[in-house]
Amino acid sequence: AWERAMAALACEVHIFDASLGAGDALRLAKSAGAYGGVHHALELPHASAVLQAMRRLGHAGRTIDYLKVELGEGAKANEWQLFLGDRGVGGVWSACAEAAAATGASRDPSASDSRLKVAHLNVRLRAEPQLLAPANFESTAAAVGAFFAYAHTCGFVAFHKEADVWRCTRGECFRYAFVHVAHAAVAVQHARAVPTSTREALFERRRAQRRGLALDYSQHVAQRWTEQLGPSGRTSAGALTHAGKQVATKAAISALAPVRHMWDGYLAEWPCADEEPLPARLQREGVHREVAHKWMCGLRAHAAAAEKMAEKTAKGHEGGKRGGCLVYSFGSSGDDAWERAMAARLPHCEIHIFDPSLGKAASEEMSKRVQRYGAVFHPYGLIAAGTMGPRKWVHRPVEVRAPYWTLYSFEECVHHLGHQGRSIDFLKIDIEGNEWPLFLGHNRTSADSGLWKMCSGDDPVLRVSHLNIELHGYSVGSPRAKIIDNFFRGADECGLRIFHREYNTLACPTGGCAEYALLSEPAARRVQAWYRRVQSKSLLPEL
C-alpha cells in the first residue's frame, strides 16, 4: 500500500523482500509492476549490501529520496544491525556520518561525497534485548542512544513517532520518521509559499474523508471485539464501581486490545506549523517515573499574543493575569510537570490545576508547590453534568490518596472561579475514562449533550482553543465504535481539529489509551499567520 501511494507521486519504487515464497513473490511482482514498481528478492542486511544493490541498479551516487525499513522476524539482520553495524561501524549511519562530518550536516546530502545519501527515512524500531544484542553495545539504552546520536550526526531530525501496537502488544515497538535538515528546509519554504486557502482546503478534505470512513472502520473493529468478549464487552477481570457498573481493570486491558485499532480512524488532519512536546511526568524525589509528554501547537505564537494581552489587561485585573490567557488542567495525579512547563513557556497565563484524588497532606504540598510558579491548585475534580447522587465518591484508601473525592460539573467549576464568559486557551483533561460522559452526556449516543453541546453553535457557552485529552478505550461503553465517533463529531461541531495522536503505551501497553491534541480553527490560523512571519530557518532545530 505504501509503495503504491509513493508511485502515485511519480517516484521510482524498488521493493526488497527475500522472505516471500515463489507464489507470493510472483504476485507481489505483478502487483508492483502494475504501478511501475519493481520487486527484488534480495535481503539487505548491512550498508555494503545496500550500496551494492544501488550499483547494480545504476543508482550509485543518487539520493534515496524515501527509504522505508521494516524488517521481519525471519530477516538475517534486524534494523539495529543494519543501521549500527558492529558498535556503530559498518552500518547505514556510519556510511553517511563520515561524509556529514566532512561536508557539514546541514548541507543537502545529494551534494556531499557520501556513498549513501538519504533524504527521508521511515523505520520501525523494536526495543527488544535479543534484537539489540548483535550490535554489541553494553546495554539496550546504549544502543538506542547510539542510533539517535548517529542519526543526529548524519543531519537527520525525527519529525514523527508512533507506537506500533498492531504487531507489538507490549509497547516495545515504535515507528519513527526522519528527514534530513536540508530537505526539511526545502519543505518549510514550500509550505510557506502555499496559499492559506489551499492548505485549509486540503485539511478539510482530510476531515471529510475521515468522517466518511472512520465509523465504518471502527464498527468493523468493534465486531471483532464483540466476537472475543461477547456483546456486553465484560471480562472476568472487571471490577464493579459504586454504581454497580463494570469497568476493566488494567489487568484486563490486554483482553481489550482490539480497541487500539479504533484510534486509527481518527488521525491528525490539521498539521501544526509549530508543534512541540511538553513533559507530563517528572522524576521527583528519587522516585522513578516514566517520562510522558503532551503535544502542544503554537506556544511561541501564543507567548507573544499572551504578553500583549497581559499588558493591555494588567491595569484592570489583579495580578496582571486575569482576563488574559487561561489554562485548566484536570487530572494531575500529583505531578505538575506539564503545568510547570506551561508556566515557564507562558508566564502570563493563569493556570488552574484540579485533582480530587490527593490526600490532605499531598494536596497541601501540591498547592504550595504550584504557587511557586503562580498556579492555583483545587482539590476537586470533574463529573458529568446531571449526575445523580452524592458528589463525594469513595475511592480505595491509599496513603497519598483521598478516601473521598469531591467532584463538580464543568459549569460549577467555572462559576466557582468566576470565569463565566472567558475562553479557555489550553484545556488538559486526563480523568481515567470519565471523559466519555463528560463530553457526550450520560447516554453517550450523540454529541448533543455534555461539553460538546456547550461549545457548539453560533454563540457557544464554552470556547476552547487548545485541547489535550487522553481517551481511555477500555471504559468507552457500548456501542463503542459509535461512541468514539460521536466524540470526534462533537469536536468537529466545536471547530476543533486533530493535530496530533499518540498511543499511551506507558499506561496501556496494548494501545487501548490514546493521547489526542486538538486545535480550534481560529487558533490554527493564528499559528499559521505567525509561522509565515518568522524566518523559516528559526523553525528548524540547531544541530
Side-chain angles (χ1 to χ4, degrees):
W2 180 83
E3 292 80 2
R4 184 186 299 273
M6 295 306 296
L9 298 176
C11 291
E12 180 182 347
V13 178
H14 294 268
I15 307 170
F16 298 86
D17 193 335
S19 67
L20 303 179
D24 289 337
L26 181 60
R27 281 188 289 272
L28 177 59
K30 289 182 178 180
S31 176
Y35 54 82
V38 181
H39 170 244
H40 307 274
L42 295 174
E43 188 168 358
L44 307 177
H46 43 75
S48 60
V50 176
L51 294 168
Q52 185 178 14
M54 293 185 70
R55 286 193 293 269
R56 289 179 179 177
L57 294 171
H59 296 164
R62 289 184 61 180
T63 296
I64 302 176
D65 296 283
Y66 299 92
L67 174 62
K68 180 175 78 73
V69 177
E70 184 171 335
L71 301 179
E73 300 296 335
K76 293 180 180 179
N78 59 58
E79 58 273 17
W80 304 104
Q81 292 171 276
L82 175 61
F83 281 90
L84 294 176
D86 185 352
R87 296 187 63 85
V89 179
V92 168
W93 287 144
S94 64
C96 73
E98 295 179 1
T103 62
S106 61
R107 287 188 56 186
D108 187 334
S110 62
S112 74
D113 296 327
S114 173
R115 296 181 302 160
L116 184 59
K117 302 180 283 280
V118 179
H120 187 290
L121 169 66
N122 289 86
V123 59
R124 185 183 68 161
L125 299 177
R126 296 166 292 173
E128 299 178 358
Q130 66 272 23
L131 297 178
L132 287 151
N136 289 326
F137 283 87
E138 57 270 22
S139 66
T140 297
V144 173
F147 181 94
F148 288 96
Y150 274 106
H152 191 269
T153 302
C154 289
F156 283 92
V157 290
F159 67 88
H160 189 78
K161 181 199 76 172
E162 180 107 5
D164 181 358
V165 297
W166 285 81
R167 300 181 182 178
C168 305
T169 58
R170 301 188 305 275
E172 74 279 18
C173 302
F174 289 88
R175 297 180 184 275
Y176 276 89
F178 296 87
V179 65
H180 193 278
V181 290
H183 290 268
V186 174
V188 168
Q189 292 286 6
H190 176 72
R192 284 166 54 90
V194 176
T196 301
S197 58
T198 302
R199 290 175 58 85
E200 292 190 1
L202 171 62
F203 302 156
E204 286 302 310
R205 285 199 300 272
R206 290 178 180 174
R207 184 169 69 96
Q209 182 181 33
R210 184 256 295 170
R211 293 192 65 164
L213 299 176
L215 181 57
D216 289 342
Y217 177 81
S218 295
Q219 286 176 335
H220 171 71
V221 174
Q223 182 178 357
R224 292 175 55 193
W225 191 350
T226 301
E227 291 171 356
Q228 291 190 28
L229 300 178
S232 69
R234 296 185 177 184
T235 70
S236 60
L240 295 179
T241 67
H242 72 289
K245 296 180 179 179
Q246 189 178 48
V247 295
T249 63
K250 287 190 176 181
I253 292 176
S254 60
L256 305 178
V259 75
R260 68 181 182 266
H261 305 313
M262 290 187 177
W263 308 131
D264 287 342
Y266 306 92
L267 302 174
E269 60 201 17
W270 193 302
C272 175
D274 186 37
E275 184 178 358
E276 62 179 296
L278 290 188
R281 294 183 187 175
L282 285 181
Q283 181 176 329
R284 188 171 55 249
E285 298 175 356
V287 178
H288 174 72
R289 300 192 66 180
E290 302 91 343
V291 177
H293 297 89
K294 301 289 183 183
W295 286 85
M296 312 303 296
C297 180
L299 290 184
R300 286 186 286 183
H302 199 282
E307 186 174 357
K308 292 181 180 179
M309 177 65 72
E311 292 174 354
K312 294 179 180 179
T313 60
K315 294 182 180 180
H317 297 277
E318 183 181 354
K321 289 187 178 182
R322 296 185 62 85
C325 166
L326 183 60
V327 179
Y328 277 9
S329 172
F330 290 93
S332 66
S333 192
D335 196 325
D336 62 327
W338 180 82
E339 294 82 1
R340 185 189 301 272
M342 286 292 291
R345 295 298 307 276
L346 303 175
H348 296 288
C349 286
E350 179 182 348
I351 300 176
H352 294 267
I353 307 169
F354 306 81
D355 194 327
S357 69
L358 302 182
K360 182 179 179 181
S363 290
E364 291 176 353
E365 191 276 332
M366 179 79 164
S367 181
K368 292 179 181 179
R369 189 167 71 242
V370 305
Q371 285 178 8
R372 298 189 188 108
Y373 53 86
V376 182
F377 175 73
H378 308 278
Y380 53 85
L382 274 180
I383 193 172
T387 299
M388 305 299 292
R391 293 301 181 88
K392 290 190 175 182
W393 284 10
V394 179
H395 186 67
R396 66 184 186 275
V398 181
E399 183 178 355
V400 296
R401 297 294 182 183
Y404 294 91
W405 292 12
T406 302
L407 306 170
Y408 296 105
S409 69
F410 193 89
E411 300 95 311
E412 289 170 333
C413 293
V414 171
H415 181 78
H416 176 72
L417 296 174
H419 292 166
Q420 301 94 318
R422 289 186 63 181
S423 298
I424 300 176
D425 296 272
F426 298 91
L427 175 61
K428 179 180 78 72
I429 294 182
D430 184 357
I431 52 177
E432 304 304 324
N434 293 305
E435 64 273 6
W436 304 108
L438 176 68
F439 279 88
L440 297 173
H442 290 285
N443 59 18
R444 313 183 189 189
T445 56
S446 70
D448 296 332
S449 58
L451 290 191
W452 286 147
K453 183 179 181 180
M454 293 176 59
C455 71
S456 61
D458 296 331
D459 188 21
V461 177
L462 173 64
R463 293 181 174 85
V464 177
S465 297
H466 192 294
L467 171 64
N468 289 89
I469 185 168
E470 181 173 5
L471 298 179
H472 302 80
Y474 52 82
S475 59
V476 176
S478 184
R480 300 172 188 83
K482 181 61 177 174
I483 292 173
I484 291 175
D485 193 68
N486 287 339
F487 178 88
F488 289 102
R489 286 183 179 270
D492 288 340
E493 295 301 320
C494 290
L496 292 169
R497 302 291 177 256
I498 305 168
F499 71 85
H500 191 92
R501 183 212 69 176
E502 185 165 2
Y503 295 111
N504 180 358
T505 56
L506 297 177
C508 306
T510 61
C513 307
E515 298 274 1
Y516 275 90
L518 301 95
L519 193 67
S520 71
E521 290 184 6
R525 293 191 179 98
R526 289 194 295 270
V527 174
Q528 187 66 27
W530 170 85
Y531 172 82
R532 289 178 177 276
R533 290 195 298 269
V534 301
Q535 295 295 322
S536 61
K537 63 181 180 181
S538 68
L539 298 179
L540 295 175
E542 294 293 334
L543 291 178

